Short mmCIF file of all heavy atoms in Angstrom, two decimals:
data_model
loop_
_atom_site.label_atom_id
_atom_site.label_comp_id
_atom_site.label_asym_id
_atom_site.label_seq_id
_atom_site.Cartn_x
_atom_site.Cartn_y
_atom_site.Cartn_z
N ARG A 98 81.79 -58.86 -148.46
CA ARG A 98 82.86 -57.87 -148.23
C ARG A 98 83.53 -58.02 -146.81
O ARG A 98 82.96 -58.67 -145.95
CB ARG A 98 82.11 -56.38 -148.28
CG ARG A 98 81.43 -56.14 -149.63
CD ARG A 98 81.08 -54.67 -149.81
NE ARG A 98 80.10 -54.49 -150.90
CZ ARG A 98 80.27 -53.66 -151.92
NH1 ARG A 98 81.34 -52.91 -152.03
NH2 ARG A 98 79.33 -53.50 -152.82
N GLU A 99 84.60 -57.41 -146.65
CA GLU A 99 85.30 -57.37 -145.30
C GLU A 99 85.22 -56.03 -144.76
O GLU A 99 85.59 -55.04 -145.47
CB GLU A 99 86.83 -57.86 -145.52
CG GLU A 99 86.84 -59.25 -146.07
CD GLU A 99 88.40 -59.62 -146.49
OE1 GLU A 99 89.11 -58.62 -146.71
OE2 GLU A 99 88.71 -60.87 -146.44
N VAL A 100 84.79 -55.88 -143.50
CA VAL A 100 84.54 -54.54 -143.05
C VAL A 100 85.16 -54.56 -141.55
O VAL A 100 85.11 -55.45 -140.87
CB VAL A 100 83.05 -54.12 -142.86
CG1 VAL A 100 82.49 -53.98 -144.26
CG2 VAL A 100 82.27 -55.28 -142.14
N ILE A 101 85.79 -53.32 -141.24
CA ILE A 101 86.32 -53.05 -139.97
C ILE A 101 85.59 -51.90 -139.52
O ILE A 101 85.46 -50.78 -140.13
CB ILE A 101 87.70 -52.85 -140.03
CG1 ILE A 101 88.43 -54.09 -140.44
CG2 ILE A 101 88.40 -52.37 -138.65
CD1 ILE A 101 89.97 -54.03 -140.55
N MET A 102 85.19 -51.78 -138.10
CA MET A 102 84.60 -50.61 -137.46
C MET A 102 85.68 -49.98 -136.54
O MET A 102 86.16 -50.76 -135.71
CB MET A 102 83.34 -51.12 -136.76
CG MET A 102 82.75 -49.83 -136.07
SD MET A 102 82.25 -48.48 -137.02
CE MET A 102 80.50 -48.83 -137.34
N VAL A 103 85.98 -48.70 -136.84
CA VAL A 103 86.77 -48.04 -135.88
C VAL A 103 85.77 -47.05 -135.17
O VAL A 103 85.25 -46.10 -135.83
CB VAL A 103 87.81 -47.09 -136.65
CG1 VAL A 103 88.69 -46.36 -135.74
CG2 VAL A 103 88.87 -48.17 -137.42
N SER A 104 85.64 -47.30 -133.85
CA SER A 104 84.45 -46.52 -133.14
C SER A 104 85.10 -45.77 -132.13
O SER A 104 85.81 -46.20 -131.14
CB SER A 104 83.56 -47.40 -132.66
OG SER A 104 82.53 -46.77 -131.83
N SER A 105 84.77 -44.39 -132.07
CA SER A 105 85.02 -43.62 -130.98
C SER A 105 84.04 -43.83 -130.01
O SER A 105 83.17 -44.73 -130.08
CB SER A 105 85.11 -42.13 -131.34
OG SER A 105 86.09 -41.84 -132.22
N GLY A 106 83.99 -43.07 -128.72
CA GLY A 106 82.92 -43.17 -127.85
C GLY A 106 83.23 -43.69 -126.49
O GLY A 106 82.42 -43.51 -125.47
N ALA A 107 84.40 -44.32 -126.25
CA ALA A 107 84.71 -44.90 -124.87
C ALA A 107 84.73 -43.76 -123.82
O ALA A 107 84.19 -43.94 -122.72
CB ALA A 107 86.02 -45.76 -124.93
N ILE A 108 85.54 -42.77 -124.17
CA ILE A 108 85.72 -41.74 -123.10
C ILE A 108 84.43 -40.89 -122.93
O ILE A 108 84.01 -40.66 -121.80
CB ILE A 108 86.94 -40.64 -123.61
CG1 ILE A 108 88.19 -41.30 -123.39
CG2 ILE A 108 86.89 -39.39 -122.80
CD1 ILE A 108 89.44 -40.49 -123.98
N ALA A 109 83.69 -40.73 -123.97
CA ALA A 109 82.44 -40.00 -123.87
C ALA A 109 81.48 -40.75 -123.07
O ALA A 109 80.64 -40.27 -122.23
CB ALA A 109 81.81 -39.67 -125.31
N GLU A 110 81.34 -42.07 -123.36
CA GLU A 110 80.56 -42.96 -122.53
C GLU A 110 80.79 -43.00 -121.05
O GLU A 110 80.00 -42.95 -120.15
CB GLU A 110 80.42 -44.40 -123.19
CG GLU A 110 79.74 -45.30 -122.36
CD GLU A 110 78.13 -45.06 -122.17
OE1 GLU A 110 77.59 -44.22 -122.78
OE2 GLU A 110 77.49 -45.79 -121.29
N GLY A 111 82.25 -43.05 -120.82
CA GLY A 111 82.82 -43.14 -119.47
C GLY A 111 82.43 -41.86 -118.70
O GLY A 111 82.10 -41.82 -117.59
N MET A 112 82.52 -40.75 -119.40
CA MET A 112 82.17 -39.39 -118.85
C MET A 112 80.59 -39.36 -118.38
O MET A 112 80.33 -38.92 -117.28
CB MET A 112 82.37 -38.17 -119.82
CG MET A 112 83.81 -37.99 -120.15
SD MET A 112 84.02 -36.84 -121.58
CE MET A 112 82.90 -35.53 -121.07
N LYS A 113 79.77 -40.03 -119.17
CA LYS A 113 78.40 -39.96 -118.97
C LYS A 113 78.17 -40.98 -117.69
O LYS A 113 77.38 -40.61 -116.74
CB LYS A 113 77.61 -40.47 -120.17
CG LYS A 113 76.08 -40.43 -119.96
CD LYS A 113 75.54 -41.79 -119.74
CE LYS A 113 74.02 -41.74 -119.64
NZ LYS A 113 73.37 -43.10 -119.35
N ARG A 114 78.81 -42.06 -117.65
CA ARG A 114 78.58 -42.99 -116.59
C ARG A 114 79.12 -42.42 -115.26
O ARG A 114 78.72 -42.82 -114.10
CB ARG A 114 79.26 -44.39 -116.93
CG ARG A 114 78.62 -45.10 -117.97
CD ARG A 114 79.30 -46.45 -118.22
NE ARG A 114 78.44 -47.29 -119.25
CZ ARG A 114 78.41 -48.57 -119.25
NH1 ARG A 114 79.02 -49.27 -118.40
NH2 ARG A 114 77.76 -49.20 -120.23
N LEU A 115 80.23 -41.70 -115.35
CA LEU A 115 80.86 -41.07 -114.19
C LEU A 115 80.22 -39.79 -113.78
O LEU A 115 80.55 -39.16 -112.74
CB LEU A 115 82.22 -40.78 -114.39
CG LEU A 115 83.12 -42.13 -114.53
CD1 LEU A 115 84.53 -41.85 -115.05
CD2 LEU A 115 83.17 -42.81 -113.07
N GLY A 116 79.22 -39.29 -114.56
CA GLY A 116 78.53 -38.04 -114.22
C GLY A 116 79.34 -36.71 -114.58
O GLY A 116 78.98 -35.61 -114.12
N TRP A 117 80.31 -36.94 -115.49
CA TRP A 117 81.13 -35.73 -115.86
C TRP A 117 80.48 -35.03 -117.05
O TRP A 117 80.14 -35.61 -118.03
CB TRP A 117 82.43 -36.15 -116.19
CG TRP A 117 83.25 -36.71 -115.01
CD1 TRP A 117 82.87 -36.86 -113.82
CD2 TRP A 117 84.47 -37.54 -115.14
NE1 TRP A 117 83.82 -37.44 -112.94
CE2 TRP A 117 84.83 -37.88 -113.83
CE3 TRP A 117 85.38 -37.86 -116.09
CZ2 TRP A 117 85.98 -38.67 -113.53
CZ3 TRP A 117 86.51 -38.55 -115.91
CH2 TRP A 117 86.81 -39.02 -114.57
N THR A 118 80.32 -33.77 -117.05
CA THR A 118 79.71 -32.95 -118.05
C THR A 118 80.74 -32.33 -118.95
O THR A 118 80.40 -31.84 -120.10
CB THR A 118 78.82 -31.79 -117.42
OG1 THR A 118 79.58 -30.93 -116.67
CG2 THR A 118 77.61 -32.43 -116.74
N THR A 119 81.99 -32.10 -118.55
CA THR A 119 83.01 -31.54 -119.39
C THR A 119 84.20 -32.64 -119.49
O THR A 119 84.51 -33.27 -118.48
CB THR A 119 83.61 -30.24 -118.89
OG1 THR A 119 84.06 -30.40 -117.48
CG2 THR A 119 82.49 -29.24 -118.82
N ARG A 120 84.87 -32.58 -120.63
CA ARG A 120 85.94 -33.56 -120.86
C ARG A 120 87.16 -33.14 -119.90
O ARG A 120 87.59 -31.92 -120.01
CB ARG A 120 86.33 -33.50 -122.33
CG ARG A 120 87.51 -34.59 -122.65
CD ARG A 120 87.86 -34.32 -124.14
NE ARG A 120 89.04 -35.09 -124.47
CZ ARG A 120 88.87 -36.39 -125.16
NH1 ARG A 120 87.67 -36.73 -125.46
NH2 ARG A 120 89.92 -37.15 -125.45
N PRO A 121 87.65 -34.08 -119.06
CA PRO A 121 88.77 -33.74 -118.29
C PRO A 121 90.00 -33.55 -119.04
O PRO A 121 90.20 -34.01 -120.24
CB PRO A 121 88.88 -35.07 -117.37
CG PRO A 121 88.25 -36.30 -118.14
CD PRO A 121 87.18 -35.51 -119.01
N LYS A 122 91.07 -32.82 -118.38
CA LYS A 122 92.38 -32.65 -119.03
C LYS A 122 93.36 -33.60 -118.52
O LYS A 122 94.33 -33.96 -119.25
CB LYS A 122 92.75 -31.21 -118.89
CG LYS A 122 91.90 -30.16 -119.57
CD LYS A 122 92.46 -28.87 -119.48
CE LYS A 122 91.62 -27.73 -120.06
NZ LYS A 122 90.56 -27.97 -120.95
N ALA A 123 93.17 -34.09 -117.17
CA ALA A 123 94.21 -34.83 -116.60
C ALA A 123 94.24 -36.23 -117.30
O ALA A 123 93.17 -36.88 -117.52
CB ALA A 123 93.99 -35.01 -115.19
N ILE A 124 95.48 -36.66 -117.60
CA ILE A 124 95.56 -38.04 -118.46
C ILE A 124 94.93 -39.14 -117.70
O ILE A 124 94.34 -40.04 -118.13
CB ILE A 124 96.98 -38.36 -118.83
CG1 ILE A 124 97.04 -39.52 -119.73
CG2 ILE A 124 97.77 -38.38 -117.58
CD1 ILE A 124 96.56 -39.36 -121.05
#
């Protein structure tokens, strides 16, 4: 079979690495 993975998580992982507990609003 041919499979493609579309994965979220970059922003959430970045928040964790940066120590942010709430999702920022500023672009």
Side-chain angles (χ1 to χ4, degrees):
R98 306 195 196 229
E99 299 175 332
V100 291
I101 294 174
M102 173 63 91
V103 176
S104 178
S105 301
I108 291 179
E110 170 64 9
M112 287 169 53
K113 187 256 184 183
R114 292 187 174 205
L115 292 168
W117 298 348
T118 56
T119 57
R120 184 184 176 97
K122 295 188 182 339
I124 186 70

